[in-house]
Amino acid sequence: MSTTDTDTGTGRTKDPATAKRHIGVSADGELGEAGSQLSTAPVDTAVPGSFGGSRAPGALGWLTWTGREVVGWARWFWRQLTSMRVALILLFLLSLGAIPGSLIPQSGTDAQKVAAFKDAHSILGPVYDKLGLFHVYSSVWFSAIYILLFVSLIGCIVPRTWQFVGQLRGRPPGAPKRLNRLPAYATWRAAAEPEQVREAALEILKQRRFRAHIEKDAVAAEKGYLRETGNLLFHIALIVMLVAFAWGQLFKSEGNKLIVEGDGFSNTISQYDDFKSGNLFSTDDLTPFSFNLKNFTGTYERSGPNKGTPRTYQADLTYSVGAYGKEKKTTVKVNEPLEIGDSKVYLTAHGYAPVVTVRDGKGNVVYHDAVPMLPLDSNVTSQGAIKVMDGYENAQGTSEQLGFSAFFVPTFAGAGKGDMFSQFPALDFPVLALSGYHGSLGVDAGIPQNVYQLDTSKMKQFKDAKGNIVKARLLPGETMKLPNGAGSITFDKGIKEWANFQVTQQPGSDWALVGAFTAIFGLAGSLFIQRRRVWVRATTGADGVTVVEMAGLGRSESAKLPEELGDLAALVHDQAPTKPDTDEAAVETDPDAEPSVPAAEGAEK
């Protein structure tokens, strides 16, 4: 296949690469500086297959050739890494790599779900573990994509920024030789002198916020620099977001604490029910503060399609900052956290904590406390466990441990009206269902246990003389007697409520938000602002009449460029109107008719 094309009507051949570089250029000349890039996007350059060239004989020649080869390949790799194409590919891979992080359980978020997944998938579990899919955001491959994208963006932005600064400091390029070959063009013959036309055009373009100056016989103007500014802002904002994300992941902390009304919390790791943090987080980074839960208020819709939906959901706190801070009052609501320094305290959940009293066979109180119950549904049907670990002796005087499996409903439907499920989340008809065990709770083995579940492997269930399991549904104030003088358990009338709080410390989140908004505005500017150049040439024709030419060139094919050039041409034409032809002036006309002014050639695309 031939590597050249023939110009229509000239018979000359041109190289395709040359044709590509001179798109929109006239056949007999170039646009020169006027046709230079209207953006800071890097130009792809051809890369030879070998960078070393001929190798001279001897060790020195080999070293020189090897050095040139290594430097050449390094430059080629750098150009590929900092190209927009590779940056987009890396950005796509980063978003693609985040998918398993949202679909597969992550060890940093919920280690129990990860363990359950491995137990349920004996084949996929080990494979996912080797691929790092249980800790995607800290895996080697995700970090590699992240770092390469970071380097690519920096390598792309720095040279483009310096190039753009140079463009801002420079002047718009002079007019090309043949303006009529540009996408938008207008011309007319004016009665004013060329200098007057150029001065008028310069003033008009500056009023329209063009950067303009007079160079030789033409006015050169340029507008739309915010397009490149938006483009650079978009890329810089991406870097800010990447840095903020990395900073937040390395130094973040997140913990949960369930607090019953009347109890408090101090921001130390030992106080949390569960806690996780970034790799570079230190306990010294915890904000020193404490707070107490004074009261939780929850009201709910009583009727309609939203029955049971919370209307009021808030926790009244008293808090202090530091060891000797003054105590203050505040109210924490959903999506309205308490902010203390870099920490935010969110209200995330709510439930009930029935108060129970356990006595031994002699009537001595061995346990009295509010027991938090975990909700199972939206109507706060809850379950939990009551554990009496110390101080209890059975009827024979032997030390034992007691455990009660508890089921609590704030609104009971009533005996014989269904199962033990709550009908409404408020405390309308509270009932506590209990069944007791005695023996060893297994806590002495030192193995951590779930406080809301009983380990009955070393325990026996209480049974009456007939061998029936002892269990009861208690209303507030009622007591369940244990068989054989083992004691009793009372459901006290005071029912407390608990609230779960999540304390987060996420540095860099503000910067990430700023970067996101900046990226949106920068992208909008780079998409909707058109960078364009306009030239106005005024010269004296062969017959001594001033010839005015106006032309425009845009970065891309824009439908607004001819329209804008037409508006500018109309303004310049008002200052330098068309000179009537002599023959037309000699023609006899109606003295009452308005003078005819030939319209300028329309801006044509």
Side-chain angles (χ1 to χ4, degrees):
M1 182 181 291
S2 175
T3 59
T4 60
D5 295 331
T6 303
D7 287 345
T8 305
T10 63
R12 293 181 297 176
T13 60
K14 60 180 180 179
D15 182 72
T18 304
K20 183 178 181 180
R21 289 196 302 268
H22 297 288
I23 292 176
V25 181
S26 59
D28 59 343
E30 297 84 7
L31 293 177
E33 292 184 359
S36 62
Q37 283 186 288
L38 290 175
S39 72
T40 57
V43 181
D44 291 336
T45 55
V47 179
S50 177
F51 305 95
S54 301
R55 184 172 66 183
L60 181 61
W62 182 85
L63 288 175
T64 304
W65 180 86
T66 303
R68 290 198 304 264
E69 193 77 14
V70 171
V71 172
W73 280 109
R75 289 177 177 174
W76 177 85
F77 177 78
W78 178 255
R79 281 195 295 267
Q80 300 304 311
L81 181 60
T82 56
S83 66
M84 185 61 65
R85 177 180 62 255
V86 173
L88 291 175
I89 292 175
L90 290 173
L91 189 61
F92 173 74
L93 290 177
L94 191 70
S95 60
L96 195 65
I99 293 177
S102 59
L103 299 179
I104 300 174
Q106 299 295 293
S107 57
T109 304
D110 196 333
Q112 293 182 351
K113 286 187 177 180
V114 173
F117 185 92
K118 291 181 178 179
D119 293 339
H121 303 83
S122 58
I123 298 178
L124 284 179
V127 175
Y128 283 4
D129 198 9
K130 290 182 179 179
L131 295 177
L133 297 182
F134 293 121
H135 50 92
V136 169
Y137 303 111
S138 60
S139 62
V140 175
W141 57 269
F142 190 86
S143 300
I145 297 174
Y146 187 89
I147 294 173
L148 285 175
L149 177 61
F150 185 79
V151 174
S152 177
L153 289 174
I154 292 180
C156 181
I157 288 174
V158 171
R160 294 182 68 170
T161 301
W162 286 116
Q163 181 182 350
F164 185 57
V165 170
Q167 292 179 1
L168 291 176
R169 296 178 61 185
R171 287 184 166 188
K177 294 180 180 179
R178 302 191 64 178
L179 293 178
N180 60 343
R181 295 300 181 95
L182 296 183
Y185 176 77
T187 183
W188 70 91
R189 293 156 57 86
E193 295 297 326
E195 293 79 5
Q196 297 176 344
V197 176
R198 289 194 288 268
E199 291 294 337
L202 179 63
E203 183 179 356
I204 290 172
L205 288 170
K206 287 185 175 180
Q207 290 176 353
R208 300 294 289 267
R209 298 188 301 278
F210 278 84
R211 291 180 59 201
H213 70 102
I214 298 177
E215 183 174 340
K216 297 180 180 180
D217 60 351
V219 178
E222 190 168 0
K223 189 178 183 181
Y225 287 93
L226 286 178
R227 180 186 183 93
E228 288 303 318
T229 303
N231 197 3
L232 293 175
L233 281 178
F234 172 75
H235 289 84
I236 293 174
L238 286 182
I239 292 180
V240 172
M241 292 173 63
L242 289 175
V243 172
F245 176 77
W247 187 268
Q249 290 298 312
L250 292 173
F251 292 93
K252 73 173 183 178
S253 67
E254 181 181 303
N256 291 279
K257 179 62 177 179
L258 186 149
I259 302 176
V260 180
E261 288 176 329
D263 293 342
F265 167 79
S266 180
N267 193 25
T268 59
I269 291 183
S270 60
Q271 289 275 303
Y272 285 99
D273 295 332
D274 62 83
F275 184 85
K276 54 182 178 289
S277 61
N279 295 332
L280 299 182
F281 177 82
S282 171
T283 55
D284 296 334
D285 297 329
L286 287 173
T287 305
F289 68 89
S290 61
F291 66 86
N292 293 311
L293 175 61
K294 294 300 182 181
N295 182 54
F296 181 88
T297 303
T299 61
Y300 309 89
E301 289 285 349
R302 289 284 176 177
S303 60
N306 296 323
K307 181 180 179 180
T309 302
R311 298 183 59 186
T312 305
Y313 206 79
Q314 63 186 38
D316 297 326
L317 308 178
T318 58
Y319 72 97
S320 60
V321 181
Y324 305 101
K326 184 179 179 181
E327 193 173 78
K328 302 177 182 178
K329 295 182 179 180
T330 188
T331 299
V332 178
K333 302 178 181 179
V334 178
N335 297 326
E336 295 183 18
L338 169 62
E339 298 187 25
I340 305 175
D342 295 332
S343 299
K344 293 183 179 180
V345 181
Y346 292 91
L347 174 62
T348 58
H350 156 260
Y352 295 102
V355 180
V356 297
T357 301
V358 180
R359 293 178 172 86
D360 60 14
K362 298 178 181 180
N364 300 320
V365 176
V366 294
Y367 183 88
H368 175 76
D369 203 355
V371 183
M373 300 287 174
L374 290 184
L376 300 177
D377 55 30
S378 59
N379 286 327
V380 202
T381 301
S382 309
Q383 71 174 4
I386 303 169
K387 300 180 181 181
V388 181
M389 293 179 284
D390 300 309
Y392 173 77
E393 293 182 355
N394 58 21
Q396 289 76 31
T398 304
S399 295
E400 280 189 319
Q401 293 175 333
L402 298 180
F404 297 89
S405 178
F407 209 76
F408 177 79
V409 291
T411 302
F412 184 48
K417 295 184 179 180
D419 296 327
M420 188 73 173
F421 286 97
S422 179
Q423 307 300 308
F424 195 72
L427 289 172
D428 292 345
F429 187 10
V431 173
L432 179 64
L434 297 172
S435 60
Y437 297 81
H438 62 98
S440 175
L441 292 168
V443 295
D444 298 332
I447 301 175
Q449 286 188 354
N450 190 330
V451 296
Y452 304 103
Q453 293 180 350
L454 281 179
D455 180 7
T456 59
S457 59
K458 298 180 180 180
M459 304 189 79
K460 296 180 180 180
Q461 199 164 14
F462 282 109
K463 296 182 179 180
D464 58 19
K466 297 181 180 180
N468 299 322
I469 295 174
V470 177
K471 57 183 179 179
R473 290 176 178 174
L474 304 180
L475 297 176
E478 293 184 346
T479 300
M480 181 178 78
K481 294 289 185 178
L482 300 178
N484 303 321
S488 64
I489 179 170
T490 301
F491 178 20
D492 295 348
K493 292 184 177 181
I495 301 175
K496 295 185 178 182
E497 300 187 49
W498 60 260
N500 191 77
F501 296 93
Q502 184 181 74
V503 182
T504 63
Q505 199 165 323
Q506 188 79 28
S509 56
D510 294 338
W511 283 104
L513 182 63
V514 171
F517 278 108
T518 304
I520 292 174
F521 286 116
L523 184 61
S526 64
L527 291 176
F528 298 111
I529 297 176
Q530 294 294 326
R531 189 173 173 188
R532 59 273 193 203
R533 291 169 180 163
V534 173
W535 295 275
V536 182
R537 174 176 286 149
T539 57
T540 302
D543 55 356
V545 179
T546 300
V547 177
V548 182
E549 293 180 287
M550 292 187 66
L553 178 65
R555 174 181 172 181
S556 58
E557 292 294 331
S558 173
K560 293 183 179 181
L561 180 61
E563 180 182 348
E564 184 177 26
L565 185 69
D567 295 338
L568 293 171
L571 294 174
V572 176
H573 186 271
D574 292 340
Q575 300 295 323
T578 302
K579 180 180 180 180
D581 290 339
T582 304
D583 295 341
E584 293 181 0
V587 176
E588 184 176 351
T589 59
D590 184 355
D592 297 330
E594 295 183 359
S596 175
V597 179
E601 285 188 35
E604 54 188 20
K605 188 175 180 181

